[in-house]
Each structure stands twice: as structure tokens, then as C-alpha cells.
């Protein structure tokens, strides 16, 4: 078995476990189950942090962090549609891999200035329900300094599909 095949198998197991946890979570424990799932995805990919952002299209058209696993406090922060990598992903409805955030014109560096957190790399995938993009998931700073791989994106997309069915 190659390393990649083993990783895909591990990722499949992780999605199976997250699915089970989300299916059995009571309504009042759903957010905790989603946070637990996000933590598992972060660990599986070998990243430092992650967050789930929701697009409040009907409310004020801004994008807000719903929850995060990080040392950075995102409370009170928001993005405009198209702003930052998260805003771009929500606008285009497609995943992005950014292996060097500081060199990417879409990166919103003001968040690092506000929080003191250093963003180096990220995967960002849309949360899609039906035909509508309702938010995104970001996975930040792969710890081994290796670039993110397509299988990492696939894991994030599978997790995003699970989360999107549970939101709102």
C-alpha cells in the first residue's frame, strides 16, 4: 500500500466517524459535533487551525466566522463577498489551495494584524447547500511545511458537504 492510498483510507475513516457523530448529535450538541469534526480534519491534514465561515447573504451580505479551532480570536471580524481567500471561495464557489498566503493577492492580511496569528498557507472550500454557497471552511498552516495536496482538499470538501447539510 502506498502512502497516498493509506492517507485516503485514513481520510475515509475520518469522514465515516464524523458522519456518525453528526448523525447522532442532538440539536443542542450539533455545533460541538461540527467543531469536533473540524478538529479531526485539522489533525488529519496536519494543520495548525481551521474555521467555518457563514455568508449572511440575506442579513447584511457579509461573511462571519461561525466557529474556529485556533489560538486567534475571530470574534467580531467579518469579510465582504470577494474579500480574502474565504470571500473569493464563497464568491466563485470553488475550492482554493494557497500554499503561500503572503504572496496571494486575495489574502486578507488585516486578520493577522488584528489577531496576531500568522497565516502561512490554507485550503478553503465552499459550503454548498443545493445550488447556493452558504459559507466556507478554511484549514490553516500545514505544520510540516509541505504543500497541501488534492486529497487534503477532498477531505475538506467531504467535511464541508456534511456541515452544509446541518447548518441553518
Amino acid at each position: 500500500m502506498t502512502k497516498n492510498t493509506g492517507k485516503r483510507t485514513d481520510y475515509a475513516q475520518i469522514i465515516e466517524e464524523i458522519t456518525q457523530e453528526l448523525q447522532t448529535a442532538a440539536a443542542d450538541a450539533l455545533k460541538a459535533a461540527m467543531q469536533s469534526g473540524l478538529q479531526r480534519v485539522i489533525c488529519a491534514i496536519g494543520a495548525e487551525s481551521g474555521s467555518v465561515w457563514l455568508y449572511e447573504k440575506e442579513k447584511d451580505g457579509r461573511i462571519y466566522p461561525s466557529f474556529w479551532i485556533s489560538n486567534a480570536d475571530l470574534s467580531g471580524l467579518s469579510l465582504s463577498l470577494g474579500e480574502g481567500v474565504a470571500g473569493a471561495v464563497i464568491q466563485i464557489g470553488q475550492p482554493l489551495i494557497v500554499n503561500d498566503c503572503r504572496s496571494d493577492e486575495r489574502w486578507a492580511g488585516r486578520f493577522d494584524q488584528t489577531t496576531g496569528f500568522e497565516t502561512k498557507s490554507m485550503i478553503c472550500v465552499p459550503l454548498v447547500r443545493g445550488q447556493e454557497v452558504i459559507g466556507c471552511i478554511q484549514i490553516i498552516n500545514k505544520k510540516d511545511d509541505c504543500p497541501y495536496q488534492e486529497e487534503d482538499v477532498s477531505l475538506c470538501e467531504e467535511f464541508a458537504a456534511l456541515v452544509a447539510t446541518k447548518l441553518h
Side-chain angles (χ1 to χ4, degrees):
M1 180 185 292
T2 66
K3 185 176 182 182
N4 284 345
T5 303
K7 194 172 186 181
R8 273 190 232 116
T9 301
D10 291 345
Y11 282 4
Q13 179 66 33
I14 289 164
I15 288 298
E16 186 177 312
E17 291 168 1
I18 293 170
T19 300
Q20 182 66 28
E21 186 173 0
L22 289 173
Q23 286 176 342
T24 59
D28 62 343
L30 192 55
K31 187 171 183 177
M34 286 190 279
Q35 287 174 308
S36 173
L38 178 61
Q39 181 65 55
R40 288 179 189 205
V41 171
I42 291 166
C43 289
I45 290 174
E48 188 176 342
S49 68
S51 55
V52 174
W53 294 75
L54 298 179
Y55 178 35
E56 298 292 344
K57 183 178 180 179
E58 304 303 321
K59 180 181 170 189
D60 61 5
R62 296 195 60 80
I63 303 160
Y64 295 93
S66 177
F67 57 88
W68 55 90
I69 309 291
S70 174
N71 293 331
D73 184 1
L74 302 177
S75 300
L77 300 177
S78 68
L79 293 162
S80 299
L81 185 62
E83 180 186 6
V85 175
V89 164
I90 291 170
Q91 187 171 47
I92 64 173
Q94 297 293 318
L96 289 173
I97 296 175
V98 181
N99 283 311
D100 181 5
C101 288
R102 296 192 186 284
S103 68
D104 193 291
E105 62 189 26
R106 297 166 293 205
W107 179 61
R110 69 182 175 90
F111 285 87
D112 281 10
Q113 293 169 349
T114 301
T115 64
F117 185 85
E118 184 180 358
T119 306
K120 299 173 187 170
S121 62
M122 77 172 68
I123 292 174
C124 191
V125 300
L127 288 168
V128 180
R129 188 173 53 228
Q131 300 297 315
E132 184 179 9
V133 178
I134 61 170
C136 68
I137 293 175
Q138 286 185 319
I139 304 297
I140 308 288
N141 293 348
K142 192 152 179 163
K143 289 179 182 177
D144 60 11
D145 289 329
C146 291
Y148 290 109
Q149 304 296 314
E150 285 303 319
E151 60 195 2
D152 299 328
V153 174
S154 294
L155 173 63
C156 292
E157 288 178 315
E158 288 185 56
F159 178 60
L162 293 170
V163 169
T165 64
K166 298 294 182 180
L167 291 172
H168 294 278

